[in-house]
Amino acid sequence: MNRTLRYVAVGAVAVALLAGGSAAAFADQPYDLHSPSSVVATAPAAAQLTAKASATTVDAWQEFRVSGTAKGIKAGTKVTVQQKQGSKWVALPAQAPVNTTGTYSVRVKLGLKGVNQLRVGADGAISPVVSVTVR
């Protein structure tokens, strides 16, 4: 009997910790099990990326940075720079992790002369296109 009481107490404490105080927030609201509107599902926020190049014109193989913010993407997730080559987007060997503040900064070097279109991708999110001209 004593062991059962301990399991129940530990279970109640675990539920309270997992709820994180949300029970107090809902305590004032009545809950109707028979009403379909009493259960509301929320979709997770869609991941979003922004991108900005540190330079708009560079010499061939000159290093520059592509930086931006990552919303809805976990810290530590790697973002990859992609370059448009013809009609395809090709991943470059330029990656960087999203930091704890939700930002990233990737070092990039390009050798294709002319206007290069770049974007950043991670977790199914794609940033807007950034153009960098290589001389």
Side-chain angles (χ1 to χ4, degrees), residues 81-100:
V81 177
Q82 300 173 353
Q83 178 185 40
K84 190 162 190 181
Q85 295 178 1
S87 62
K88 294 182 180 180
W89 286 97
V90 177
L92 298 178
Q95 295 182 337
V98 174
N99 64 29
T100 56

Side-chain angles (χ1 to χ4, degrees), residues 19 25 29 53 63:
Q29 300 175 358
E63 184 178 288

Side-chain angles (χ1 to χ4, degrees), residues 88-135:
K88 294 182 180 180
W89 286 97
V90 177
L92 298 178
Q95 295 182 337
V98 174
N99 64 29
T100 56
T101 61
T103 60
Y104 67 89
S105 182
V106 185
R107 294 184 298 185
V108 181
K109 293 181 182 181
L110 298 174
L112 282 174
K113 293 190 177 186
V115 178
N116 287 266
Q117 293 181 327
L118 305 174
R119 67 184 189 182
V120 178
D123 277 356
I126 301 293
S127 74
V129 175
V130 175
S131 294
V132 176
T133 302
V134 178
R135 313 182 265 226

